Structure formats: C-alpha cells, structure tokens
Amino acid sequence: NGSSVSFSGVKIYDNHIDTAIENGCQGGTGGGGLAHNSTISFENVEISNNSVNLPDENCSWGEFDGGFRFSDCAVTLNNVDVLNNYSDGNNGGLSFDFGTLQMDNVHFEGNEARGSNSAIFMTQLSNLVMTNVSMIENGNDFCNNYGAGTIQGILDGTLTNIQVIGNGGPGGSVGGLFIEGCNLEFNDIIVQDNSCLHQNPGLSIVNSTVSFDHLLFTGHDFVENIYDEQAAFGIHGGSDVTITNSTIAD
C-alpha cells in the first residue's frame, strides 16, 4: 500500500487462500498477491497456480482475483505469463481497478473462474495500453461468463496485436471479451474459436465506442439457442463500432 515495487525474474506461484474466515468472505481476494495505491512493475515474471477458494459454508461466490489484484495502482507488465490461476468466484487471473495499466508481451492461459472473468478483469482505468497480449484457452472448464474477461469503464485505451483464442464461458454468455462503457482502439486483433452456452461467444460490446483495424473474427460457437438475437459478435446499447481492413467469417 502506497509503495513503489519492481519485480524482475520472479515466479509467483502455488499460493492459495482456502481457509475459512470468521467474517464471511473478508480477505478472500488476491490469491497470488494484492497491491493498492502503488507503482508496480513486473518484468520477466510468471504468475501461476494461485487460487482463491474458500469453503462454501463460509463464503459462496465471494472470492475474487485468483492470480493477482491491483487496485488504484500505476502498473507496468513486461514479459509476464499468467497461467492456471483459479477463483471460485470471479476473476481467475489478473484484476485491475482504477489507476493505469501498460502491458507488453503478456500471456494468459489456463486460468479459470467459477463465476466470471477467467483471465482478466479491468475497470475504471484512466489509461490502458496493451501490446502483444494473448488470452488463450481460459475459462473452458468452469466459467459462467466472460471467458477471456471484461474491459469496463475505460475511456482511453489502445490495444495492439491482441489474440483472444479458444476461451470459453460454458455456463453462460460470452466466451471471449465483454466490453462495456469504453472508448477503445484495437489494431491487429484475432478473435477466434471462443465459445459459450449462449449469447455472443466471441465479443460483446455494450455502450462503448470501439474501432477495429485488421480484425480477424472467426470460428465461434454457442451450445444452446436460449435467447433471441444471439450472435457471435454482439453490439448493444447504442455502441459506436467501426471496423476496417478486417475479416469476419464462419
């Protein structure tokens, strides 16, 4: 809290919050770690096999942020692997609320959340820059919604060379990314082979202004036709979406 911390060549792994806490879900967040109101740099770091999973009688659906949580921080991530983390509630991999975030060469794979957001959750960041980020095969075992994750309430975001491939929401909606209340610019993005139970297996965009240049969007599927107006790519709530130099197929 209130610090400046740099991690280089570090592995954060096999940390677990799994013990009953007297006050319900208090403390059930940040399996691999928690940073607040700080300047944080991760370079050549692996965050793997961490979890938040409290007993159901003590905390049901109240766990958050299996891998690591950053709250109101200025975060820089370079060459980071986020692998096989788990939350029995929401946000299996990394979680960011408020602050700023720069990512370069970050890979998410095999993360799970029994609720929503298996790989990533971010909300209310004042600035977001993501370059060379891949979200591969997250959420396929347990996730209800948003297999790759959620980007929410971000009014200045640039995302370049992004891969969202093979993620799942087998219990609910949106296998890939859920984007809400954002102003984002995507350059060179592949959204491919994501799946969910129903509604928008690839992307869902709500109340946002989003541009895509060089988007490949292909190979998505949903298991059941539960609701009307299902589509692999959902644009909702008065969103303004521009797509150029792109391929949308299958």
Side-chain angles (χ1 to χ4, degrees):
N1 187 355
S3 302
S4 180
V5 182
S6 296
F7 294 84
S8 180
V10 173
K11 185 174 182 180
I12 301 170
Y13 74 103
D14 204 23
N15 300 286
H16 307 285
I17 299 176
D18 56 9
T19 303
I21 299 171
E22 291 183 3
N23 297 321
C25 295
Q26 183 178 346
T29 183
L34 170 64
H36 176 68
N37 189 30
S38 297
T39 299
I40 306 293
S41 174
F42 282 8
E43 185 167 3
N44 300 319
V45 169
E46 178 182 308
I47 303 170
S48 60
N49 297 299
N50 304 287
S51 69
V52 180
N53 186 5
L54 299 177
D56 285 344
E57 64 271 17
N58 181 252
C59 180
S60 181
W61 295 98
E63 300 94 338
F64 293 89
D65 317 322
F68 210 102
R69 180 185 179 188
F70 303 89
S71 178
D72 200 17
C73 292
V75 181
T76 302
L77 306 180
N78 291 309
N79 299 316
V80 174
D81 291 327
V82 184
L83 309 173
N84 303 315
N85 300 285
Y86 176 76
S87 170
D88 205 47
N90 296 318
N91 314 337
L94 301 184
S95 173
F96 307 86
D97 58 272
F98 300 95
T100 63
L101 173 60
Q102 295 188 36
M103 287 190 186
D104 191 5
N105 290 311
V106 178
H107 178 70
F108 297 83
E109 186 170 350
N111 301 285
E112 292 283 347
R114 190 164 65 100
S116 299
N117 309 311
S118 286
I120 193 166
F121 175 76
M122 56 181 70
T123 185
Q124 308 299 321
L125 300 176
S126 60
N127 181 260
L128 170 66
V129 178
M130 294 172 62
T131 307
N132 305 317
V133 175
S134 55
M135 300 171 226
I136 312 293
E137 298 285 345
N138 301 281
N140 289 303
D141 293 333
F142 303 107
C143 188
N144 271 322
N145 306 298
Y146 322 141
T150 292
I151 303 174
Q152 180 184 72
I154 294 169
L155 301 182
D156 182 15
T158 302
L159 300 89
T160 303
N161 194 16
I162 307 297
Q163 296 183 344
V164 183
I165 300 174
N167 304 283
S173 63
V174 191
L177 284 173
F178 176 65
I179 298 169
E180 181 180 27
C182 292
N183 189 339
L184 303 177
E185 176 185 320
F186 286 89
N187 302 289
D188 295 301
I189 176 172
I190 299 172
V191 184
Q192 181 175 339
D193 297 334
N194 302 285
S195 64
C196 62
L197 178 63
H198 54 79
Q199 290 186 317
N200 312 145
L203 291 171
S204 180
I205 300 174
V206 179
N207 293 321
S208 297
T209 299
V210 181
S211 67
F212 295 95
D213 186 38
H214 291 92
L215 163 68
L216 173 61
F217 186 94
T218 187
H220 300 92
D221 195 16
F222 54 81
V223 176
E224 295 187 34
N225 188 13
I226 296 176
Y227 301 104
D228 294 334
E229 301 180 357
Q230 294 194 150
F233 192 154
I235 300 173
H236 311 280
S239 294
D240 183 356
V241 177
T242 303
I243 302 173
T244 57
N245 305 310
S246 298
T247 299
I248 299 175
D250 299 333

